[in-house]
Short mmCIF file of all heavy atoms in Angstrom, two decimals:
data_model
loop_
_atom_site.label_atom_id
_atom_site.label_comp_id
_atom_site.label_asym_id
_atom_site.label_seq_id
_atom_site.Cartn_x
_atom_site.Cartn_y
_atom_site.Cartn_z
N LEU A 12 131.19 65.81 34.81
CA LEU A 12 129.87 65.20 34.53
C LEU A 12 128.84 65.86 35.41
O LEU A 12 127.71 66.30 34.99
CB LEU A 12 129.83 63.76 34.73
CG LEU A 12 128.59 63.03 34.42
CD1 LEU A 12 128.16 63.17 32.96
CD2 LEU A 12 128.71 61.54 34.80
N ILE A 13 129.16 66.01 36.67
CA ILE A 13 128.26 66.72 37.62
C ILE A 13 128.01 68.13 37.24
O ILE A 13 126.82 68.62 37.29
CB ILE A 13 128.84 66.62 39.14
CG1 ILE A 13 128.88 65.27 39.58
CG2 ILE A 13 128.12 67.60 40.00
CD1 ILE A 13 129.59 65.08 40.96
N PHE A 14 129.05 68.83 36.78
CA PHE A 14 128.92 70.27 36.39
C PHE A 14 127.98 70.35 35.10
O PHE A 14 127.13 71.21 35.11
CB PHE A 14 130.31 70.85 35.99
CG PHE A 14 130.22 72.17 35.43
CD1 PHE A 14 130.04 73.35 36.20
CD2 PHE A 14 130.32 72.37 34.01
CE1 PHE A 14 130.00 74.63 35.67
CE2 PHE A 14 130.28 73.58 33.46
CZ PHE A 14 130.07 74.75 34.26
N ILE A 15 128.14 69.37 34.12
CA ILE A 15 127.32 69.44 32.98
C ILE A 15 125.87 69.20 33.33
O ILE A 15 124.94 69.91 32.88
CB ILE A 15 127.85 68.39 31.93
CG1 ILE A 15 129.19 68.81 31.37
CG2 ILE A 15 126.89 68.30 30.73
CD1 ILE A 15 129.85 67.83 30.56
N VAL A 16 125.61 68.15 34.13
CA VAL A 16 124.30 67.80 34.55
C VAL A 16 123.64 68.97 35.24
O VAL A 16 122.48 69.40 35.04
CB VAL A 16 124.21 66.51 35.39
CG1 VAL A 16 122.83 66.33 36.00
CG2 VAL A 16 124.70 65.34 34.52
N SER A 17 124.35 69.53 36.24
CA SER A 17 123.80 70.71 36.94
C SER A 17 123.58 71.86 36.03
O SER A 17 122.56 72.57 36.29
CB SER A 17 124.87 71.13 38.05
OG SER A 17 125.13 70.09 38.91
N PHE A 18 124.38 72.10 35.03
CA PHE A 18 124.24 73.22 34.19
C PHE A 18 122.93 73.01 33.29
O PHE A 18 122.10 73.95 33.20
CB PHE A 18 125.40 73.40 33.22
CG PHE A 18 125.25 74.46 32.21
CD1 PHE A 18 125.47 75.81 32.58
CD2 PHE A 18 124.98 74.21 30.95
CE1 PHE A 18 125.33 76.81 31.61
CE2 PHE A 18 124.82 75.20 29.95
CZ PHE A 18 124.95 76.48 30.32
N ILE A 19 122.84 71.81 32.80
CA ILE A 19 121.65 71.49 32.03
C ILE A 19 120.35 71.66 32.82
O ILE A 19 119.36 72.21 32.48
CB ILE A 19 121.66 70.02 31.42
CG1 ILE A 19 122.78 69.97 30.37
CG2 ILE A 19 120.34 69.64 30.79
CD1 ILE A 19 123.12 68.53 29.94
N PHE A 20 120.42 71.18 34.06
CA PHE A 20 119.21 71.19 34.99
C PHE A 20 118.88 72.70 35.31
O PHE A 20 117.75 73.10 35.35
CB PHE A 20 119.57 70.44 36.26
CG PHE A 20 118.41 70.26 37.16
CD1 PHE A 20 117.25 69.54 36.76
CD2 PHE A 20 118.34 70.87 38.43
CE1 PHE A 20 116.20 69.42 37.57
CE2 PHE A 20 117.27 70.68 39.26
CZ PHE A 20 116.15 69.92 38.81
N SER A 21 119.93 73.46 35.57
CA SER A 21 119.64 74.88 35.96
C SER A 21 119.12 75.68 34.85
O SER A 21 118.51 76.75 35.00
CB SER A 21 120.95 75.49 36.52
OG SER A 21 121.92 75.58 35.49
N GLU A 22 119.38 75.18 33.53
CA GLU A 22 118.87 75.96 32.37
C GLU A 22 117.54 75.44 31.99
O GLU A 22 117.07 75.85 30.89
CB GLU A 22 119.93 75.79 31.29
CG GLU A 22 121.27 76.46 31.53
CD GLU A 22 121.17 78.01 31.59
OE1 GLU A 22 120.47 78.62 30.75
OE2 GLU A 22 121.61 78.50 32.59
N SER A 23 116.93 74.62 32.68
CA SER A 23 115.62 74.03 32.28
C SER A 23 114.47 74.93 32.61
O SER A 23 113.30 74.68 32.27
CB SER A 23 115.38 72.69 32.95
OG SER A 23 115.31 72.83 34.36
N PHE A 24 114.73 76.02 33.20
CA PHE A 24 113.70 77.06 33.46
C PHE A 24 114.31 78.44 33.39
O PHE A 24 115.48 78.69 33.89
CB PHE A 24 113.05 76.89 34.84
CG PHE A 24 112.01 77.85 35.17
CD1 PHE A 24 110.72 77.71 34.62
CD2 PHE A 24 112.16 78.88 36.04
CE1 PHE A 24 109.70 78.63 34.86
CE2 PHE A 24 111.25 79.79 36.40
CZ PHE A 24 110.01 79.71 35.74
N ASP A 25 113.60 79.40 32.83
CA ASP A 25 114.11 80.75 32.66
C ASP A 25 113.62 81.50 33.87
O ASP A 25 112.49 81.80 34.07
CB ASP A 25 113.48 81.37 31.40
CG ASP A 25 113.77 82.82 31.30
OD1 ASP A 25 114.70 83.36 31.94
OD2 ASP A 25 113.01 83.53 30.49
N PHE A 26 114.61 81.89 34.75
CA PHE A 26 114.28 82.56 35.98
C PHE A 26 114.43 84.09 35.83
O PHE A 26 114.69 84.82 36.81
CB PHE A 26 115.38 82.13 37.05
CG PHE A 26 115.02 80.80 37.69
CD1 PHE A 26 115.70 79.70 37.26
CD2 PHE A 26 114.13 80.70 38.72
CE1 PHE A 26 115.36 78.47 37.76
CE2 PHE A 26 113.82 79.45 39.28
CZ PHE A 26 114.53 78.31 38.84
N SER A 27 114.01 84.59 34.69
CA SER A 27 114.27 86.13 34.42
C SER A 27 113.33 86.93 35.22
O SER A 27 113.47 88.15 35.20
CB SER A 27 114.15 86.29 32.93
OG SER A 27 112.90 85.87 32.42
N MET A 28 112.30 86.38 35.90
CA MET A 28 111.42 87.21 36.70
C MET A 28 112.07 87.48 38.03
O MET A 28 111.53 88.23 38.84
CB MET A 28 110.03 86.54 36.84
CG MET A 28 110.02 85.37 37.76
SD MET A 28 110.69 83.88 36.95
CE MET A 28 109.67 83.75 35.51
N PHE A 29 113.25 86.90 38.33
CA PHE A 29 113.92 87.06 39.57
C PHE A 29 115.33 87.64 39.35
O PHE A 29 115.89 87.40 38.26
CB PHE A 29 114.07 85.77 40.36
CG PHE A 29 112.69 85.12 40.65
CD1 PHE A 29 112.29 83.92 40.04
CD2 PHE A 29 111.85 85.74 41.53
CE1 PHE A 29 111.10 83.35 40.35
CE2 PHE A 29 110.56 85.22 41.79
CZ PHE A 29 110.22 84.00 41.18
N ASN A 30 115.82 88.36 40.29
CA ASN A 30 117.17 88.93 40.13
C ASN A 30 118.17 87.97 40.89
O ASN A 30 117.89 86.85 41.19
CB ASN A 30 117.24 90.36 40.82
CG ASN A 30 116.79 90.35 42.28
OD1 ASN A 30 117.10 89.48 43.02
ND2 ASN A 30 116.07 91.42 42.68
N ASP A 31 119.43 88.41 40.96
CA ASP A 31 120.47 87.61 41.47
C ASP A 31 120.44 87.35 42.93
O ASP A 31 121.22 86.63 43.53
CB ASP A 31 121.88 88.12 41.08
CG ASP A 31 122.14 89.55 41.59
OD1 ASP A 31 121.31 90.07 42.31
OD2 ASP A 31 123.13 90.14 41.16
N LYS A 32 119.46 87.98 43.57
CA LYS A 32 119.27 87.63 45.12
C LYS A 32 118.65 86.22 45.28
O LYS A 32 118.69 85.64 46.34
CB LYS A 32 118.42 88.71 45.73
CG LYS A 32 119.11 90.06 45.89
CD LYS A 32 118.30 91.02 46.56
CE LYS A 32 119.14 92.34 46.89
NZ LYS A 32 119.38 93.04 45.63
N LEU A 33 118.09 85.70 44.26
CA LEU A 33 117.58 84.31 44.26
C LEU A 33 118.83 83.41 43.98
O LEU A 33 119.28 83.43 42.89
CB LEU A 33 116.48 84.03 43.28
CG LEU A 33 115.87 82.69 43.33
CD1 LEU A 33 115.04 82.47 44.52
CD2 LEU A 33 114.97 82.42 42.06
N THR A 34 119.24 82.73 44.94
CA THR A 34 120.48 81.92 44.80
C THR A 34 120.31 80.66 43.92
O THR A 34 119.23 80.23 43.68
CB THR A 34 121.02 81.41 46.21
OG1 THR A 34 120.02 80.44 46.74
CG2 THR A 34 121.04 82.68 47.16
N GLU A 35 121.49 80.14 43.53
CA GLU A 35 121.47 78.88 42.69
C GLU A 35 120.89 77.75 43.53
O GLU A 35 120.08 76.84 43.00
CB GLU A 35 122.91 78.60 42.28
CG GLU A 35 123.44 79.47 41.28
CD GLU A 35 122.59 79.62 40.05
OE1 GLU A 35 122.07 78.60 39.53
OE2 GLU A 35 122.39 80.80 39.56
N GLU A 36 121.13 77.79 44.86
CA GLU A 36 120.54 76.71 45.70
C GLU A 36 119.03 76.83 45.70
O GLU A 36 118.28 75.78 45.74
CB GLU A 36 121.11 76.82 47.10
CG GLU A 36 120.63 75.77 48.05
CD GLU A 36 121.09 75.94 49.46
OE1 GLU A 36 121.87 76.86 49.73
OE2 GLU A 36 120.71 75.09 50.42
N GLU A 37 118.54 78.07 45.82
CA GLU A 37 117.04 78.24 45.89
C GLU A 37 116.40 77.89 44.50
O GLU A 37 115.31 77.28 44.47
CB GLU A 37 116.74 79.72 46.22
CG GLU A 37 117.08 80.05 47.67
CD GLU A 37 117.01 81.49 48.00
OE1 GLU A 37 117.24 82.36 47.11
OE2 GLU A 37 116.74 81.86 49.13
N LYS A 38 117.15 78.18 43.43
CA LYS A 38 116.60 77.78 42.09
C LYS A 38 116.47 76.19 42.00
O LYS A 38 115.51 75.72 41.42
CB LYS A 38 117.55 78.29 41.01
CG LYS A 38 117.51 79.82 40.82
CD LYS A 38 118.55 80.28 39.73
CE LYS A 38 118.53 81.79 39.65
NZ LYS A 38 119.56 82.18 38.64
N THR A 39 117.49 75.55 42.46
CA THR A 39 117.51 74.08 42.40
C THR A 39 116.36 73.53 43.24
O THR A 39 115.69 72.60 42.86
CB THR A 39 118.82 73.56 42.94
OG1 THR A 39 119.90 74.02 42.09
CG2 THR A 39 118.86 72.04 42.91
N LYS A 40 116.07 74.11 44.41
CA LYS A 40 114.95 73.77 45.26
C LYS A 40 113.64 73.86 44.52
O LYS A 40 112.79 73.01 44.57
CB LYS A 40 114.94 74.52 46.55
CG LYS A 40 116.04 74.14 47.60
CD LYS A 40 115.87 74.94 48.85
CE LYS A 40 116.79 74.53 49.90
NZ LYS A 40 116.72 75.28 51.18
N LEU A 41 113.44 75.03 43.84
CA LEU A 41 112.27 75.26 43.13
C LEU A 41 112.07 74.27 41.97
O LEU A 41 110.92 73.74 41.81
CB LEU A 41 112.25 76.71 42.55
CG LEU A 41 112.15 77.83 43.59
CD1 LEU A 41 112.46 79.19 42.90
CD2 LEU A 41 110.81 77.88 44.13
N LEU A 42 113.08 73.90 41.28
CA LEU A 42 112.97 72.98 40.20
C LEU A 42 112.82 71.56 40.73
O LEU A 42 112.33 70.65 40.01
CB LEU A 42 114.22 73.05 39.31
CG LEU A 42 114.35 74.31 38.46
CD1 LEU A 42 115.72 74.35 37.74
CD2 LEU A 42 113.22 74.38 37.50
N ASN A 43 113.17 71.33 41.96
CA ASN A 43 112.90 70.01 42.53
C ASN A 43 111.52 69.92 43.25
O ASN A 43 111.22 68.94 43.87
CB ASN A 43 114.00 69.76 43.63
CG ASN A 43 115.31 69.28 43.08
OD1 ASN A 43 115.37 68.76 41.93
ND2 ASN A 43 116.39 69.57 43.80
N GLY A 44 110.68 70.95 43.00
CA GLY A 44 109.35 70.91 43.53
C GLY A 44 109.22 71.37 44.99
O GLY A 44 108.17 71.20 45.59
N GLN A 45 110.29 72.00 45.44
CA GLN A 45 110.23 72.53 46.88
C GLN A 45 109.85 74.02 46.87
O GLN A 45 110.10 74.81 45.92
CB GLN A 45 111.61 72.37 47.54
CG GLN A 45 112.05 70.92 47.71
CD GLN A 45 113.46 70.82 48.26
OE1 GLN A 45 114.46 70.66 47.46
NE2 GLN A 45 113.57 70.89 49.52
N MET A 46 109.25 74.40 47.97
CA MET A 46 108.91 75.84 48.15
C MET A 46 110.06 76.55 48.76
O MET A 46 110.80 76.01 49.56
CB MET A 46 107.66 75.83 49.06
CG MET A 46 106.86 77.20 48.94
SD MET A 46 105.41 77.08 50.00
CE MET A 46 104.56 75.74 49.30
N VAL A 47 110.25 77.78 48.25
CA VAL A 47 111.34 78.58 48.80
C VAL A 47 110.68 79.72 49.58
O VAL A 47 109.87 80.46 49.12
CB VAL A 47 112.24 79.21 47.66
CG1 VAL A 47 113.13 80.28 48.23
CG2 VAL A 47 113.05 78.10 47.07
#
Side-chain angles (χ1 to χ4, degrees):
L12 184 61
I13 291 172
F14 174 78
I15 291 172
V16 171
S17 299
F18 179 77
I19 293 172
F20 188 63
S21 67
E22 291 297 308
S23 63
F24 181 77
D25 173 19
F26 282 97
S27 54
M28 71 285 302
F29 301 114
N30 57 38
D31 58 9
K32 290 184 174 65
L33 186 71
T34 67
E35 293 302 317
E36 180 183 0
E37 289 170 333
K38 291 177 183 178
T39 300
K40 285 183 177 180
L41 288 169
L42 291 173
N43 281 333
Q45 297 174 264
M46 202 175 298
V47 168

